[in-house]
Amino acid sequence: MIILDEPYVSRYLKETIISTGLPVLRNEMAENQNFPDETALMDDAACIALMKENPEQKLYSNSEHALQWIAENLAFTGLPETISLFKDKAAFRRLLRPLFPDFFFREVAAEDLDTLDIRGIPMPFIIKPAVGFFSAGVHMVASDAEWEDVLLSLKRDMNEHSSLFPPQVYNSATWIIEEYIPGTELAIDACFTADGEPVVLNILSHMFSSDADVDDKVYLTSKAIIREYLSPVTDLLRRIQALTGIRNFPLHIEVRVDEDGHVVPIEVNPMRFAGWCTTDIAAYAYGINVYRAYFEEKAPDWETLLTDDNGDVYAILIVKPPADMLPETIEGFDYAGFVATFAHPLEMRPVDFTSYPVFGFFFAKMEGGNLQEAETFLHADLREFISIR
């Protein structure tokens, strides 16, 4: 069963639902997709009955907005408790303590931020909402002098983001401070089968402009990336499964790999793959339909897929306004002009930038592993493509 919700449903996901006949919760987002009449749109009661009749029924959502419906209607499945283990970053750190006993983290209530004494906290550290999404409210603090500016930013974040997402997705009542993990950051789409076996569906390398950068702008996937990290990532997922016993479960996990090759989790986003349907990049890069792979338990044949590597890299670019540009001053974005700057564009997915702080998501191929276009985008403010009111 699939639950569709804001902020975005891709054409690829919609076409997958139509071709597979997967049942979909009937809600406003699903009805807005104009599915064919034969699509199995089911009301709340029918979906709840389906989950009760078949304890092995797989569930997927394109959006964490669906977590609220799951919490309110599917308590009998145990899913809300499992989701909370991952979605609450502090609970997640407590869960992982047997695997990473020396990892530093600390919980802080929002009302205590003003009086927080950071002198005893090892630097650099990351501070972020215990329940968050889309890098909202994530900041690095490298020195005492930076704290006051970060504190002001945290207050602004609380005001801006709380209205965009439900409390199951973003909640700034509690913040978590944790040690900074140096190394390569990976974002992984994976799932657990009915038998609890982990299946890696894609591995993306998060590209940053500097060590202090915590923004979501560029993600890359390639056969070389999969080849390097598939084994250690799968091992980590097995250890998480041993702690939780989860089965029939999709997730998007972010990790850091240090210079010694240790894979340290940052967070797990439950019930979905890469947000805003950017998980679809796997279809371009490897011909993998991640939704089918999860529901039909068809694990990618990575051994075959990783042969004949020509070095191509596939990129997800998150196209955002500059941080200092007020949303109400923006008239439009030149999508065609932006796409034309890339040698091998794959797909531009515009987003309503008046509702969300992003112009869209862009897929591109970097032929032969030449990352110059990604580097240029990473440092660009895109003002040349933005029209102002």
Side-chain angles (χ1 to χ4, degrees):
M1 187 177 79
I2 290 183
I3 304 176
L4 301 178
D5 215 321
E6 296 287 350
Y8 186 84
V9 176
S10 69
R11 182 179 60 188
Y12 187 78
L13 174 54
K14 179 179 174 180
E15 291 173 349
T16 300
I17 291 170
I18 294 170
S19 64
T20 58
L22 284 165
V24 180
L25 173 70
R26 183 185 295 276
N27 58 17
E28 183 178 357
M29 193 65 171
E31 291 183 333
N32 287 342
Q33 302 309 306
N34 297 314
F35 282 112
D37 292 341
E38 60 269 23
T39 305
L41 294 183
M42 304 170 64
D43 61 22
D44 286 17
C47 287
I48 294 167
L50 180 65
M51 297 295 293
K52 285 184 176 179
E53 291 166 6
N54 181 11
E56 298 299 312
Q57 174 68 43
K58 286 180 167 61
L59 179 64
Y60 178 82
S61 177
N62 67 306
S63 166
E64 293 188 14
H65 284 62
L67 300 184
Q68 182 172 354
W69 188 91
I70 295 171
E72 293 172 352
N73 295 281
L74 300 182
F76 61 90
T77 66
L79 279 173
E81 289 81 5
T82 303
I83 289 168
S84 294
L85 273 179
F86 296 128
K87 190 59 190 168
D88 184 328
K89 294 176 177 63
F92 181 57
R93 285 295 172 210
R94 292 193 292 270
L95 171 71
L96 293 181
R97 189 171 274 146
L99 302 181
F100 303 93
D102 298 325
F103 188 87
F104 174 86
F105 71 95
R106 178 175 170 184
E107 298 168 65
V108 182
E111 59 266 27
D112 296 332
L113 287 172
D114 280 324
T115 57
L116 177 65
D117 184 356
I118 64 169
R119 287 175 295 180
I121 300 173
M123 294 191 184
F125 65 79
I126 301 293
I127 183 167
K128 54 190 176 183
V131 178
F133 177 66
F134 204 41
S135 290
V138 179
H139 296 272
M140 177 191 284
V141 180
S143 67
D144 291 354
E146 293 179 8
W147 176 241
E148 289 302 320
D149 288 340
V150 168
L151 189 56
L152 291 174
S153 296
L154 296 182
K155 294 176 180 178
R156 184 175 63 248
D157 292 337
M158 284 187 263
N159 290 330
E160 290 181 358
H161 299 303
S162 295
S163 61
L164 291 177
F165 306 106
Q168 287 83 3
V169 177
Y170 179 89
N171 190 330
S172 59
T174 302
W175 293 74
I176 182 170
I177 293 173
E178 58 186 34
E179 67 178 81
Y180 172 74
I181 309 165
T184 301
E185 183 169 312
L186 305 176
I188 300 124
D189 287 334
C191 61
F192 293 93
T193 68
D195 295 327
E197 278 298 307
V199 177
V200 174
L201 300 171
N202 197 7
I203 301 176
L204 298 148
S205 179
H206 192 172
M207 193 175 185
F208 294 102
S209 60
S210 68
D211 288 342
D213 184 12
V214 294
D215 198 8
D216 288 330
K217 283 190 74 174
V218 178
Y219 289 87
L220 309 173
T221 188
S222 69
K223 293 181 179 180
I225 290 171
I226 301 289
R227 190 180 299 110
E228 181 174 2
Y229 297 113
L230 180 60
S231 178
V233 163
T234 303
D235 179 64
L236 173 65
L237 291 172
R238 282 202 176 94
R239 290 191 289 159
I240 290 175
Q241 201 282 334
L243 287 175
T244 60
I246 53 177
R247 301 179 299 112
N248 290 326
F249 200 87
L251 54 82
H252 179 75
I253 179 170
E254 298 177 8
V255 305
R256 285 271 177 135
V257 184
D258 67 21
E259 59 183 11
D260 296 320
H262 299 131
V263 181
V264 183
I266 299 173
E267 63 185 48
V268 170
N269 299 287
M271 303 309 302
R272 67 168 175 88
F273 301 134
W276 299 72
C277 292
T278 55
T279 186
D280 300 351
I281 193 69
Y284 284 107
Y286 312 111
I288 296 172
N289 185 316
V290 297
Y291 313 110
R292 280 184 173 270
Y294 166 56
F295 281 102
E296 299 171 7
E297 294 206 351
K298 292 182 178 178
D301 180 1
W302 286 117
E303 184 176 355
T304 300
L305 289 170
L306 296 179
T307 59
D308 300 323
D309 187 359
N310 60 9
D312 290 348
V313 174
Y314 292 80
I316 303 169
L317 307 184
I318 303 173
V319 188
K320 302 178 180 181
D324 62 352
M325 184 174 286
L326 296 175
E328 59 269 22
T329 67
I330 300 173
E331 176 69 30
F333 186 79
D334 180 8
Y335 292 98
F338 172 77
V339 171
T341 63
F342 292 83
H344 301 284
L346 297 172
E347 184 179 355
M348 181 75 227
R349 296 177 169 182
V351 168
D352 179 7
F353 59 85
T354 64
S355 298
Y356 297 98
V358 60
F359 291 121
F361 298 85
F362 178 61
F363 296 166
K365 181 171 74 172
M366 310 290 171
E367 201 166 71
N370 184 346
L371 301 182
Q372 184 56 55
E373 290 176 340
E375 288 279 4
T376 299
F377 171 80
L378 194 60
H379 295 88
D381 64 13
L382 305 181
R383 293 178 194 272
E384 62 188 292
F385 305 109
I386 303 171
S387 54
I388 303 299
R389 295 185 187 278

